[in-house]
Amino acid sequence: MDEEAVLGSDNSIQEWSDAVADATSTPAGGAVAALATALAASLVAMVAGLTLKREKYAAVHAHADETLLQAEQLRSDLLEMATLDAVAVAEYMDALRLPQETEFERTAREAAKRTALVEAARLQLELLHQAGEVAELAEGMVGSGLATAIGDAAAAGLLAAATGRSAYWSIRSNLKAARWPEEARLMLDTAWVVLEQVEGAELRVQQLLEERIG
């Protein structure tokens, strides 16, 4: 793997977009989902910050302040997650290029593939958890944040739900490709519970939009 080719939080959106659009295997869907979730967290931070500036919303300033702190931390973590996912995909591609002429080489190659696939699934499970946190923070801002920014908070919640679904199916795909390792059942059970929470937050966001926008 060419470490110099791995993008990080210091790279621009244009650079990430160019790298994704390039006809290479990485960065791919998982990294894009992480970046999209980071932008969703950015929207939550924006709405919380705007709410803190309005004295009219003094009653929810404590909640908005805590939301802002959490959203900023998630934004940072998710940008790092995009890089980690790109690295995981690159390591899987490295495993595919291992020699397979002898039985020993084939066994080593399969082990390397499984290790990379399970690590990719683990990262996507972490992303799913992060998407769940963003979705819940967004729900809070849709319900109590600055009225003129409801649409922005809702966009964050809806986007986080979409990336959560992406992460869930990525987990399943990677674990299947790894031939359902021992830890697969626990990971899938956990992923399903978190996905239900994410989609529950998405539904409540839609209900809040109906109430506040009509």
Side-chain angles (χ1 to χ4, degrees), residues 31 81-82 96 107 109 141 180 183 188:
M81 179 62 69
L96 292 180
T107 300
R109 180 175 180 272
M141 286 294 95
W180 304 113
E183 59 267 49
L188 285 174

Side-chain angles (χ1 to χ4, degrees), residues 1-193:
M1 179 182 64
D2 183 0
E3 292 291 346
E4 293 183 356
V6 177
L7 299 181
S9 58
D10 291 336
N11 292 98
S12 68
I13 289 293
Q14 183 65 57
E15 288 171 316
W16 273 100
S17 179
D18 289 344
V20 172
D22 197 15
T24 58
S25 299
T26 185
V32 171
L35 290 172
T37 315
L39 289 173
S42 299
L43 279 173
V44 172
M46 181 191 79
V47 177
L50 289 171
T51 302
L52 285 168
K53 290 183 176 181
R54 302 301 197 276
E55 197 58 39
K56 176 182 177 181
Y57 291 85
V60 297
H61 276 184
H63 173 64
D65 187 50
E66 180 61 27
T67 296
L68 177 58
L69 290 174
Q70 293 181 45
E72 288 289 4
Q73 183 60 58
L74 281 164
R75 188 162 68 93
S76 175
D77 292 344
L78 284 157
L79 290 174
E80 180 181 1
M81 179 62 69
T83 298
L84 292 175
D85 184 85
V87 171
V89 174
E91 289 178 346
Y92 176 70
M93 299 308 297
D94 285 345
L96 292 180
R97 288 188 285 268
L98 290 173
Q100 47 184 330
E101 296 300 321
T102 67
E103 184 64 30
F104 176 80
E105 288 176 341
R106 287 190 289 272
T107 300
R109 180 175 180 272
E110 285 303 310
K113 284 171 54 182
R114 286 166 65 88
T115 297
L117 287 164
V118 172
E119 174 62 10
R122 186 192 67 77
L123 288 172
Q124 287 297 299
L125 181 57
E126 178 61 25
L127 173 58
L128 177 52
H129 279 289
Q130 292 168 328
E133 292 180 55
V134 173
E136 289 181 3
L137 293 176
E139 178 190 347
M141 286 294 95
V142 173
S144 64
L146 182 67
T148 54
I150 290 174
D152 300 298
L158 298 174
L159 185 55
T163 58
R165 281 189 285 272
S166 171
Y168 173 79
W169 285 104
S170 180
I171 293 164
R172 289 188 63 127
S173 175
N174 286 323
L175 293 177
K176 180 180 180 180
R179 299 181 182 177
W180 304 113
E182 186 176 338
E183 59 267 49
R185 177 48 55 194
L186 177 59
M187 292 180 72
L188 285 174
D189 287 346
T190 301
W192 179 251
V193 170

